[in-house]
Amino acid sequence: ATSPAADDTGNGVGAAGRARIDARTLRTDRWWLQPVLTVVGLSAFVIYAGVRAFVRTAYWVPEYHYLTPFYSPCISTSCVPGSSHFGTPIGDLPGFIPLGFIALPFLLGFRITCYYYRKAYYRSVWFSPPACAVAEPHAKYTGETRLPLIVQNVHRYFFYVAAIVSVINTYDAIVAFHGRTGGFGFGLGNLILLGNVIMLWAYTLSCHSCRHITGGRLKHFSRHPVRYWMWTQITKLNNRHMLLAWITLGTLVLTDLYVMLVSSGVFPDPRFVN
Ligand code: FES
């Protein structure tokens, strides 16, 4: 057998000048493990988040003002009383529209166009290529130079909206410091909400677009000491972007799951104050 794109004259694996190798790959290690784990992890999140975004149950704990990030901000009259921290300017929504419809498409867009997730699904889902030194099944490679993938360039605009959503999630986490008697109080749920928000900020600020917006296109760092300082801090976070991308998928699920379980009365929220 020849490699999948051996007849191609473009710039795929069969392009002139590329080594002709009969085997699909000469790698003998478990190169497929990472793509498999990536697909399993991403699919699990998409299924969980997809179901939870639509069910409209157990997303708010009235006693402690815990709101799951999947329903924030909840601005429709269909939202349960108390869960709308920013009012209800929108009337009732039909069941096929998630109550978090304002933020969810932007958050989805932010993640789909994220430089890390692009790498993840280009490799693991589209096999372009599945791993280093493993031939891809596609005859041509045009990168992100034309439709539809050229649209990935809108990532920075999703970043701006995602930063606003992080502010909203931060507000949700702050108003949740609410005790049984109405004053200050906190329990395990607050720590989970807070931990999630901190991780969301870390992920959002570690964005490649954020790094570029902060310190890109500067000719002289010495003339922009503040931007240079911010850029160096964001660069440190940026080095961990992949890790933060996965951690935040985990903290989002954990936060939502916790709110769901407490809200459904599966177990009470352990309280530390009030
Ligand atoms: Fe991943 Fe911007 S590059 S969020």
Side-chain angles (χ1 to χ4, degrees):
T2 54
S3 58
D7 296 333
D8 178 57
T9 52
N11 51 9
V13 291
R18 300 290 292 269
R20 302 280 168 182
I21 300 168
D22 286 344
R24 184 171 178 216
T25 179
L26 298 180
R27 285 182 68 165
T28 54
D29 61 336
R30 292 189 295 169
W31 57 265
W32 44 267
L33 188 59
Q34 191 168 343
V36 168
L37 292 177
T38 304
V39 167
V40 169
L42 292 181
S43 307
F45 179 82
V46 168
I47 292 168
Y48 179 88
V51 170
R52 279 295 289 156
F54 283 96
V55 291
R56 293 193 178 188
T57 54
Y59 57 88
W60 167 247
V61 180
E63 206 176 2
Y64 304 122
H65 294 192
Y66 295 159
L67 176 66
T68 169
F70 292 167
Y71 283 71
S72 176
C74 215
I75 58 167
S76 150
T77 48
S78 301
C79 301
V80 291
S83 64
S84 302
H85 296 156
F86 301 92
T88 52
I90 307 278
D92 279 358
L93 287 172
F96 61 87
I97 299 183
L99 294 181
F101 76 103
I102 284 284
L104 289 181
F106 292 101
L107 295 179
L108 191 65
F110 185 48
R111 300 255 171 180
I112 286 178
T113 59
C114 162
Y115 288 55
Y116 166 66
Y117 288 111
R118 271 144 79 173
K119 169 186 163 186
Y121 63 75
Y122 286 164
R123 288 190 183 183
S124 308
V125 179
W126 190 240
F127 298 152
S128 182
C132 286
V134 180
E136 61 181 296
H138 311 287
K140 286 201 172 66
Y141 175 78
T142 53
E144 295 173 331
T145 57
R146 58 184 72 174
L147 278 172
L149 293 184
I150 198 166
V151 176
Q152 303 277 30
N153 285 306
V154 301
H155 181 64
R156 68 162 52 203
Y157 301 105
F158 283 123
F159 163 75
Y160 295 133
V161 181
I164 294 170
V165 176
S166 291
V167 172
I168 293 172
N169 291 154
T170 307
Y171 181 80
D172 293 339
I174 292 171
V175 296
F177 282 94
H178 189 275
R180 277 195 188 90
T181 53
F184 174 81
F186 77 97
L188 182 57
N190 293 94
L191 300 184
I192 292 177
L193 253 66
L194 197 60
N196 177 54
V197 156
I198 291 171
M199 284 298 130
L200 285 181
W201 273 116
Y203 169 69
T204 307
L205 293 176
S206 71
C207 168
H208 292 255
S209 289
C210 176
R211 181 170 177 266
H212 182 73
I213 290 162
T214 314
R217 289 176 165 263
L218 289 183
K219 283 213 174 77
H220 306 284
F221 277 138
S222 57
R223 289 194 200 147
H224 303 273
V226 175
R227 288 183 67 184
Y228 176 61
W229 181 84
M230 286 164 59
W231 180 82
T232 49
Q233 303 309 312
I234 285 171
T235 298
K236 286 180 201 161
L237 276 179
N238 182 254
N239 286 335
R240 306 252 182 288
H241 193 57
M242 177 181 92
L243 182 64
L244 290 165
W246 282 105
I247 286 177
T248 46
L249 290 191
T251 58
L252 281 167
V253 169
L254 174 70
T255 308
D256 179 78
L257 195 61
Y258 189 84
V259 170
M260 178 173 77
L261 294 176
V262 172
S263 168
S264 339
V266 174
F267 56 79
D269 181 45
R271 302 301 290 175
F272 306 123
V273 174
N274 191 4

